[in-house]
């Protein structure tokens, strides 16, 4: 017995039992690949070879990113290297050069109220900077020595940046 994914309905899995009346010399039936079963093959990048920070930043709409638009920016031909884990079984992970794009379904072990536990999220890193769902704004006035202009990319080493580097992902 194995489960076969019904491609006409996203995120639906139907169990199908395949058997043979012959005890020996059975004909082999196509076996559903594990990658298909857990949705790894649904994530196919189609973008150009060298996306920029602006390309990813332009995907943000009210603090969210559309999954189809995201796949259209990630370079075509990259392999999905997402590893199935106990807390998240479905997702994607693409890495090239200084880029890292990683998304997953709701995290069963996320803290209460964390965006990662509420649904699909994506994290996009270029070097040591993460794209944020909303700009990081300085708490200091403009004339203060520690003031900085609002930014959409930041290291995820502060509470705001860690929380806002998990961007809600709209999956159709």
């Amino acid at each position: 017995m194995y489960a076969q994914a019904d491609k006409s309905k996203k995120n639906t899995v139907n169990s199908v039992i395949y058997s043979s009346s012959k005890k020996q010399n059975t004909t082999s039936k196509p076996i559903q690949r594990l990658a298909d079963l857990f949705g790894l093959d649904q994530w196919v990048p189609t973008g150009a070879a060298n996306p920029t920070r602006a390309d990813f930043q332009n995907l943000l709409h009210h603090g969210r990113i559309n999954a189809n638009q995201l796949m259209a920016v990630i370079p075509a031909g990259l392999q999905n290297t997402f590893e199935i884990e106990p807390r998240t079984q479905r997702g994607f992970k693409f890495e090239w050069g200084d880029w890292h794009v990683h998304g997953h379904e709701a995290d069963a072990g996320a803290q209460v109220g964390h965006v990662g536990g509420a649904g699909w999220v994506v994290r996009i890193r270029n070097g040591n900077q993460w794209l944020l769902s909303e700009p990081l704004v300085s708490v200091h006035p403009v004339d203060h020595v520690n003031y900085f202009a609002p930014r959409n990319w930041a290291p995820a080493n502060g509470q705001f940046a860690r929380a806002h580097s998990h961007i809600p992902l709209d999956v159709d």
Side-chain angles (χ1 to χ4, degrees), residues 123-142:
R123 296 185 82 196
I124 301 170
R125 186 182 76 216
N126 179 231
N128 71 342
Q129 302 279 308
W130 296 89
L131 177 61
L132 305 176
S133 60
E134 61 184 72
L136 177 62
V137 179
S138 179
V139 295
H140 302 288
V142 176

Side-chain angles (χ1 to χ4, degrees), residues 51-66 69-70 73 99 124 126 130-136 150-154 167:
T52 65
R53 283 187 176 194
D55 293 330
F56 286 103
Q57 192 169 318
N58 290 337
L59 296 175
L60 283 169
H61 297 286
H62 305 290
R64 304 179 71 82
I65 289 180
N66 176 279
Q69 292 174 355
L70 176 63
V73 172
W99 289 95
I124 301 170
N126 179 231
W130 296 89
L131 177 61
L132 305 176
S133 60
E134 61 184 72
L136 177 62
R151 56 182 118 168
N152 289 38
W153 293 85
I167 302 171

Side-chain angles (χ1 to χ4, degrees), residues 11 34-44 70-71 79-85 87-94 101-106 119-122 169 171:
N11 300 329
L34 190 59
D36 268 346
L37 182 62
F38 287 98
L40 297 178
D41 287 350
Q42 101 180 55
W43 305 102
V44 180
L70 176 63
M71 290 298 119
Q79 182 180 359
N80 183 356
T81 60
F82 179 80
E83 294 181 12
I84 297 167
E85 298 177 359
R87 291 170 42 166
T88 55
Q89 284 80 44
R90 296 180 317 156
F92 56 88
K93 180 173 151 184
F94 299 103
V101 180
H102 177 193
H104 57 78
E105 67 185 343
W120 280 88
V121 294
V122 62
L169 184 67
V171 179

Side-chain angles (χ1 to χ4, degrees), residues 3-14 32 36-37:
Q4 181 176 10
D6 181 354
K7 298 271 185 184
S8 66
K9 297 176 185 168
K10 290 187 177 179
N11 300 329
T12 301
V13 176
N14 298 320
Q32 185 68 31
D36 268 346
L37 182 62

Side-chain angles (χ1 to χ4, degrees), residues 2 29-33:
Y2 65 90
K29 305 277 185 181
I31 295 177
Q32 185 68 31
R33 294 182 15 194

Side-chain angles (χ1 to χ4, degrees), residues 18-20 22 24-30:
Y18 287 88
S19 62
S20 172
K22 299 178 183 179
Q24 296 176 354
N25 298 327
T26 60
T27 57
S28 63
K29 305 277 185 181

